Amino acid sequence: MSGKVDMPQSSGLLPITQINARFTAYDCHCEGDVEKVVISGLPELPEGTAFEKMKFFRDHHDGLRRFFLREPRGSMIQSVNFIVPTENPAAVAAYIIAEAEEYPEMSGGNTISVATTLLKTGIVPITGPITRFKLEAPAGLIEIECDTSGGKVGSVRFTNQPAFAYCTGRTIHLSNFGDLIVDVGYGGMTYAIVDARQFGFELRASEGRRLSDLGQEIKAAAAAQIPVSHPLNAELPGITQVMFVDPVTRSSHGAESKNAVIVSPGRVDRCPCGTGTSARLAVMHAKGEIGVGQAFAHRSLIDSVFMGEILSTTTVGPYSAIVSAISGRAWITAECVYMLEDDDPYPTGYTISDTWPEMNQDAGRT
C-alpha cells in the first residue's frame, strides 16, 4: 500500500475558553495489555526518522507522556502511542511509543493496537480480505498484514526488525538469592530471560506482585553485571526488561510456553509481549531449540496468546540474528477526547507509591 495518512485536524467539539489542550485518542487493549493511541492534538515535530522524532519528543514534549500515563488520566499499567507524520515513502505513518518510564524503540502489543486503530477508524483504508501496509517505528519500518475479511479487523501480523541473542547461560549474582542463570536477547527492547522455576513461580496471575518486585531486582542486577550495547545504535539502552519463562512444551501444533514480562516501574505486561517474543525466539534459535518456519505460541499471565515464527536468519553486527513475525489481536475500548484545563494543578499528572512501586525523583507532582 502506498500513500500517506491524512492526520485528523479536530475533534469537532465546541471551543472551550479554559481548555489549554485537547487530544483525540482511542483506548485499546492488545490481548489484555492496556494502551492508548493518540491521533490529534500533538505538537509539530521536526522532519526526520521516527527515531529522531522520538528523541525530540522525549527531550521537548515529555510532559505529554506523563499527561497520558500518570494519574489522574492514566496509570503505570498503560502505554501510549503518538501517531505522527512520516517522511519515509514506504510508510503510511510513524508512531512514537511511550511507557511509564521509557520510550521503547519497538513494542509488539503497541504496534498491533496502532495498526488496529488506524484500520478501524478508517485512517488507513481496508483494501480486501488482507490489508497490508508499513508503519515506521523508532526501530525502523514494520510490515503489517491484517486479516480484514468481511470488512472487519481481525488478527494483525507484523514483521519485526531483526532480533538476536547477546548471550545465553550467563550467571549473575542476586542479593538475598545467590547465583542466577539468565539469557539476554534483543527483540526491539533488551531482555534478561529467566527460568521461572528457579524461584518456584508457576506464572499465575496471582503471582503478579511478587514477579514484579523480583523482576525489578533482577533487572537492576542484570543491567549492572551484563552491560550490552546494540551494535548498530549505541543510543539504545541495555537491559530494561525481565522475562520469566516456563519450559517450552511441544505438540503437533508447534512449540508453546508461558511468560511474564516485567515493565518498569514494576508491573507485569498483560499481553504475551511482542518484542519479548522476538527476543525469546532469537535466544531459542541460538540454543538450537527452534528453527525457521516453526510455530511458537507465547502465552501471557492471563493466557492470551501471541503466535510467533522465525521467517529467516540474518546478522546484526557480530551477532547471528533472526527476522520474526508476531501476530495477535487488539480491541478499541473507548473513543476519547482528553483535555487539559488551564487551571488544572496536575498538568503532567502525579504518582503515588501505592500504585507506582518504584518512583524516580521526578515522579510526584510536576
PDB file of all heavy atoms in Angstrom, residues 28-51:
ATOM      1  N   CYS A  28      -7.317   1.230  23.968  1.00  0.00           N
ATOM      2  CA  CYS A  28      -7.313  -0.114  23.375  1.00  0.00           C
ATOM      3  C   CYS A  28      -6.800  -1.116  24.390  1.00  0.00           C
ATOM      4  O   CYS A  28      -6.223  -0.758  25.418  1.00  0.00           O
ATOM      5  CB  CYS A  28      -6.378  -0.173  22.159  1.00  0.00           C
ATOM      6  SG  CYS A  28      -6.572   1.126  20.954  1.00  0.00           S
ATOM      7  N   HIS A  29      -6.991  -2.382  24.067  1.00  0.00           N
ATOM      8  CA  HIS A  29      -6.168  -3.408  24.699  1.00  0.00           C
ATOM      9  C   HIS A  29      -5.738  -4.398  23.636  1.00  0.00           C
ATOM     10  O   HIS A  29      -6.501  -4.744  22.731  1.00  0.00           O
ATOM     11  CB  HIS A  29      -6.879  -4.083  25.875  1.00  0.00           C
ATOM     12  CG  HIS A  29      -7.862  -5.161  25.519  1.00  0.00           C
ATOM     13  ND1 HIS A  29      -7.477  -6.470  25.281  1.00  0.00           N
ATOM     14  CD2 HIS A  29      -9.209  -5.137  25.386  1.00  0.00           C
ATOM     15  CE1 HIS A  29      -8.548  -7.191  25.026  1.00  0.00           C
ATOM     16  NE2 HIS A  29      -9.611  -6.413  25.075  1.00  0.00           N
ATOM     17  N   CYS A  30      -4.491  -4.796  23.720  1.00  0.00           N
ATOM     18  CA  CYS A  30      -3.945  -5.819  22.831  1.00  0.00           C
ATOM     19  C   CYS A  30      -3.727  -7.078  23.647  1.00  0.00           C
ATOM     20  O   CYS A  30      -2.827  -7.123  24.494  1.00  0.00           O
ATOM     21  CB  CYS A  30      -2.638  -5.358  22.201  1.00  0.00           C
ATOM     22  SG  CYS A  30      -1.855  -6.645  21.204  1.00  0.00           S
ATOM     23  N   GLU A  31      -4.570  -8.060  23.420  1.00  0.00           N
ATOM     24  CA  GLU A  31      -4.501  -9.318  24.167  1.00  0.00           C
ATOM     25  C   GLU A  31      -4.386  -9.052  25.668  1.00  0.00           C
ATOM     26  O   GLU A  31      -3.685  -9.753  26.387  1.00  0.00           O
ATOM     27  CB  GLU A  31      -3.333 -10.184  23.677  1.00  0.00           C
ATOM     28  CG  GLU A  31      -3.368 -10.546  22.207  1.00  0.00           C
ATOM     29  CD  GLU A  31      -4.507 -11.489  21.821  1.00  0.00           C
ATOM     30  OE1 GLU A  31      -5.237 -11.934  22.715  1.00  0.00           O
ATOM     31  OE2 GLU A  31      -4.654 -11.776  20.615  1.00  0.00           O
ATOM     32  N   GLY A  32      -5.090  -7.995  26.126  1.00  0.00           N
ATOM     33  CA  GLY A  32      -5.137  -7.691  27.551  1.00  0.00           C
ATOM     34  C   GLY A  32      -4.295  -6.513  27.973  1.00  0.00           C
ATOM     35  O   GLY A  32      -4.559  -5.923  29.034  1.00  0.00           O
ATOM     36  N   ASP A  33      -3.276  -6.134  27.199  1.00  0.00           N
ATOM     37  CA  ASP A  33      -2.422  -5.022  27.603  1.00  0.00           C
ATOM     38  C   ASP A  33      -3.106  -3.709  27.258  1.00  0.00           C
ATOM     39  O   ASP A  33      -3.630  -3.535  26.155  1.00  0.00           O
ATOM     40  CB  ASP A  33      -1.061  -5.105  26.913  1.00  0.00           C
ATOM     41  CG  ASP A  33      -0.008  -4.354  27.684  1.00  0.00           C
ATOM     42  OD1 ASP A  33       0.087  -4.555  28.901  1.00  0.00           O
ATOM     43  OD2 ASP A  33       0.748  -3.575  27.066  1.00  0.00           O
ATOM     44  N   VAL A  34      -3.082  -2.760  28.191  1.00  0.00           N
ATOM     45  CA  VAL A  34      -3.859  -1.518  28.075  1.00  0.00           C
ATOM     46  C   VAL A  34      -3.008  -0.439  27.404  1.00  0.00           C
ATOM     47  O   VAL A  34      -1.907  -0.120  27.880  1.00  0.00           O
ATOM     48  CB  VAL A  34      -4.328  -1.038  29.462  1.00  0.00           C
ATOM     49  CG1 VAL A  34      -5.227   0.187  29.326  1.00  0.00           C
ATOM     50  CG2 VAL A  34      -5.061  -2.159  30.195  1.00  0.00           C
ATOM     51  N   GLU A  35      -3.538   0.124  26.322  1.00  0.00           N
ATOM     52  CA  GLU A  35      -2.773   1.078  25.525  1.00  0.00           C
ATOM     53  C   GLU A  35      -3.670   2.205  25.020  1.00  0.00           C
ATOM     54  O   GLU A  35      -4.880   2.048  24.908  1.00  0.00           O
ATOM     55  CB  GLU A  35      -2.122   0.350  24.344  1.00  0.00           C
ATOM     56  CG  GLU A  35      -1.108  -0.670  24.787  1.00  0.00           C
ATOM     57  CD  GLU A  35      -0.970  -1.877  23.882  1.00  0.00           C
ATOM     58  OE1 GLU A  35      -1.721  -1.971  22.884  1.00  0.00           O
ATOM     59  OE2 GLU A  35      -0.122  -2.734  24.190  1.00  0.00           O
ATOM     60  N   LYS A  36      -3.044   3.334  24.711  1.00  0.00           N
ATOM     61  CA  LYS A  36      -3.728   4.466  24.107  1.00  0.00           C
ATOM     62  C   LYS A  36      -3.079   4.762  22.758  1.00  0.00           C
ATOM     63  O   LYS A  36      -1.868   4.574  22.589  1.00  0.00           O
ATOM     64  CB  LYS A  36      -3.618   5.712  24.995  1.00  0.00           C
ATOM     65  CG  LYS A  36      -4.167   5.560  26.414  1.00  0.00           C
ATOM     66  CD  LYS A  36      -3.901   6.836  27.221  1.00  0.00           C
ATOM     67  CE  LYS A  36      -4.252   6.675  28.690  1.00  0.00           C
ATOM     68  NZ  LYS A  36      -5.689   6.526  28.930  1.00  0.00           N
ATOM     69  N   VAL A  37      -3.892   5.253  21.820  1.00  0.00           N
ATOM     70  CA  VAL A  37      -3.399   5.686  20.517  1.00  0.00           C
ATOM     71  C   VAL A  37      -3.910   7.103  20.300  1.00  0.00           C
ATOM     72  O   VAL A  37      -5.115   7.321  20.164  1.00  0.00           O
ATOM     73  CB  VAL A  37      -3.873   4.751  19.389  1.00  0.00           C
ATOM     74  CG1 VAL A  37      -3.354   5.242  18.037  1.00  0.00           C
ATOM     75  CG2 VAL A  37      -3.413   3.310  19.640  1.00  0.00           C
ATOM     76  N   VAL A  38      -2.996   8.079  20.293  1.00  0.00           N
ATOM     77  CA  VAL A  38      -3.358   9.492  20.180  1.00  0.00           C
ATOM     78  C   VAL A  38      -3.195   9.917  18.730  1.00  0.00           C
ATOM     79  O   VAL A  38      -2.099   9.790  18.152  1.00  0.00           O
ATOM     80  CB  VAL A  38      -2.480  10.360  21.093  1.00  0.00           C
ATOM     81  CG1 VAL A  38      -2.922  11.821  21.032  1.00  0.00           C
ATOM     82  CG2 VAL A  38      -2.531   9.847  22.534  1.00  0.00           C
ATOM     83  N   ILE A  39      -4.270  10.439  18.129  1.00  0.00           N
ATOM     84  CA  ILE A  39      -4.236  10.741  16.695  1.00  0.00           C
ATOM     85  C   ILE A  39      -4.323  12.222  16.372  1.00  0.00           C
ATOM     86  O   ILE A  39      -4.091  12.601  15.217  1.00  0.00           O
ATOM     87  CB  ILE A  39      -5.337   9.974  15.938  1.00  0.00           C
ATOM     88  CG1 ILE A  39      -6.734  10.433  16.377  1.00  0.00           C
ATOM     89  CG2 ILE A  39      -5.182   8.467  16.103  1.00  0.00           C
ATOM     90  CD1 ILE A  39      -7.845   9.930  15.493  1.00  0.00           C
ATOM     91  N   SER A  40      -4.659  13.082  17.332  1.00  0.00           N
ATOM     92  CA  SER A  40      -4.688  14.516  17.026  1.00  0.00           C
ATOM     93  C   SER A  40      -4.419  15.324  18.282  1.00  0.00           C
ATOM     94  O   SER A  40      -4.563  14.836  19.409  1.00  0.00           O
ATOM     95  CB  SER A  40      -6.034  14.914  16.422  1.00  0.00           C
ATOM     96  OG  SER A  40      -7.047  14.973  17.403  1.00  0.00           O
ATOM     97  N   GLY A  41      -4.019  16.579  18.046  1.00  0.00           N
ATOM     98  CA  GLY A  41      -3.711  17.498  19.138  1.00  0.00           C
ATOM     99  C   GLY A  41      -2.236  17.581  19.474  1.00  0.00           C
ATOM    100  O   GLY A  41      -1.848  18.335  20.365  1.00  0.00           O
ATOM    101  N   LEU A  42      -1.404  16.827  18.768  1.00  0.00           N
ATOM    102  CA  LEU A  42       0.019  16.746  19.102  1.00  0.00           C
ATOM    103  C   LEU A  42       0.799  17.909  18.502  1.00  0.00           C
ATOM    104  O   LEU A  42       0.412  18.481  17.485  1.00  0.00           O
ATOM    105  CB  LEU A  42       0.590  15.415  18.595  1.00  0.00           C
ATOM    106  CG  LEU A  42      -0.029  14.170  19.232  1.00  0.00           C
ATOM    107  CD1 LEU A  42       0.449  12.909  18.514  1.00  0.00           C
ATOM    108  CD2 LEU A  42       0.315  14.102  20.710  1.00  0.00           C
ATOM    109  N   PRO A  43       1.933  18.259  19.106  1.00  0.00           N
ATOM    110  CA  PRO A  43       2.760  19.340  18.558  1.00  0.00           C
ATOM    111  C   PRO A  43       3.445  18.907  17.273  1.00  0.00           C
ATOM    112  O   PRO A  43       3.642  17.714  17.012  1.00  0.00           O
ATOM    113  CB  PRO A  43       3.787  19.585  19.674  1.00  0.00           C
ATOM    114  CG  PRO A  43       3.895  18.259  20.370  1.00  0.00           C
ATOM    115  CD  PRO A  43       2.507  17.683  20.338  1.00  0.00           C
ATOM    116  N   GLU A  44       3.814  19.881  16.458  1.00  0.00           N
ATOM    117  CA  GLU A  44       4.594  19.583  15.259  1.00  0.00           C
ATOM    118  C   GLU A  44       6.002  19.168  15.670  1.00  0.00           C
ATOM    119  O   GLU A  44       6.576  19.709  16.614  1.00  0.00           O
ATOM    120  CB  GLU A  44       4.654  20.803  14.337  1.00  0.00           C
ATOM    121  CG  GLU A  44       3.328  21.122  13.661  1.00  0.00           C
ATOM    122  CD  GLU A  44       3.477  22.189  12.594  1.00  0.00           C
ATOM    123  OE1 GLU A  44       4.636  22.504  12.215  1.00  0.00           O
ATOM    124  OE2 GLU A  44       2.451  22.719  12.140  1.00  0.00           O
ATOM    125  N   LEU A  45       6.541  18.207  14.925  1.00  0.00           N
ATOM    126  CA  LEU A  45       7.892  17.726  15.189  1.00  0.00           C
ATOM    127  C   LEU A  45       8.774  17.991  13.976  1.00  0.00           C
ATOM    128  O   LEU A  45       8.281  18.042  12.842  1.00  0.00           O
ATOM    129  CB  LEU A  45       7.869  16.221  15.488  1.00  0.00           C
ATOM    130  CG  LEU A  45       7.002  15.764  16.667  1.00  0.00           C
ATOM    131  CD1 LEU A  45       7.046  14.242  16.784  1.00  0.00           C
ATOM    132  CD2 LEU A  45       7.448  16.413  17.960  1.00  0.00           C
ATOM    133  N   PRO A  46      10.070  18.143  14.169  1.00  0.00           N
ATOM    134  CA  PRO A  46      10.964  18.336  13.026  1.00  0.00           C
ATOM    135  C   PRO A  46      10.956  17.112  12.116  1.00  0.00           C
ATOM    136  O   PRO A  46      10.663  15.991  12.548  1.00  0.00           O
ATOM    137  CB  PRO A  46      12.340  18.520  13.676  1.00  0.00           C
ATOM    138  CG  PRO A  46      12.070  18.858  15.096  1.00  0.00           C
ATOM    139  CD  PRO A  46      10.783  18.197  15.451  1.00  0.00           C
ATOM    140  N   GLU A  47      11.255  17.319  10.854  1.00  0.00           N
ATOM    141  CA  GLU A  47      11.377  16.192   9.944  1.00  0.00           C
ATOM    142  C   GLU A  47      12.531  15.300  10.377  1.00  0.00           C
ATOM    143  O   GLU A  47      13.485  15.742  10.999  1.00  0.00           O
ATOM    144  CB  GLU A  47      11.579  16.677   8.513  1.00  0.00           C
ATOM    145  CG  GLU A  47      10.371  17.359   7.922  1.00  0.00           C
ATOM    146  CD  GLU A  47      10.538  17.648   6.441  1.00  0.00           C
ATOM    147  OE1 GLU A  47      11.622  17.360   5.889  1.00  0.00           O
ATOM    148  OE2 GLU A  47       9.576  18.157   5.826  1.00  0.00           O
ATOM    149  N   GLY A  48      12.423  14.027  10.020  1.00  0.00           N
ATOM    150  CA  GLY A  48      13.460  13.066  10.371  1.00  0.00           C
ATOM    151  C   GLY A  48      12.864  11.686  10.479  1.00  0.00           C
ATOM    152  O   GLY A  48      11.685  11.460  10.171  1.00  0.00           O
ATOM    153  N   THR A  49      13.665  10.751  10.917  1.00  0.00           N
ATOM    154  CA  THR A  49      13.184   9.396  11.113  1.00  0.00           C
ATOM    155  C   THR A  49      12.305   9.337  12.352  1.00  0.00           C
ATOM    156  O   THR A  49      12.291  10.273  13.172  1.00  0.00           O
ATOM    157  CB  THR A  49      14.349   8.420  11.290  1.00  0.00           C
ATOM    158  OG1 THR A  49      15.034   8.745  12.521  1.00  0.00           O
ATOM    159  CG2 THR A  49      15.336   8.496  10.125  1.00  0.00           C
ATOM    160  N   ALA A  50      11.580   8.244  12.496  1.00  0.00           N
ATOM    161  CA  ALA A  50      10.763   8.081  13.704  1.00  0.00           C
ATOM    162  C   ALA A  50      11.641   8.069  14.950  1.00  0.00           C
ATOM    163  O   ALA A  50      11.223   8.563  16.009  1.00  0.00           O
ATOM    164  CB  ALA A  50       9.940   6.798  13.607  1.00  0.00           C
ATOM    165  N   PHE A  51      12.832   7.534  14.850  1.00  0.00           N
ATOM    166  CA  PHE A  51      13.744   7.531  15.996  1.00  0.00           C
ATOM    167  C   PHE A  51      14.143   8.966  16.361  1.00  0.00           C
ATOM    168  O   PHE A  51      14.177   9.338  17.544  1.00  0.00           O
ATOM    169  CB  PHE A  51      14.988   6.691  15.699  1.00  0.00           C
ATOM    170  CG  PHE A  51      15.905   6.509  16.878  1.00  0.00           C
ATOM    171  CD1 PHE A  51      15.581   5.626  17.891  1.00  0.00           C
ATOM    172  CD2 PHE A  51      17.079   7.234  16.976  1.00  0.00           C
ATOM    173  CE1 PHE A  51      16.429   5.469  18.996  1.00  0.00           C
ATOM    174  CE2 PHE A  51      17.929   7.079  18.070  1.00  0.00           C
ATOM    175  CZ  PHE A  51      17.600   6.193  19.080  1.00  0.00           C
TER     176      PHE A  51
END
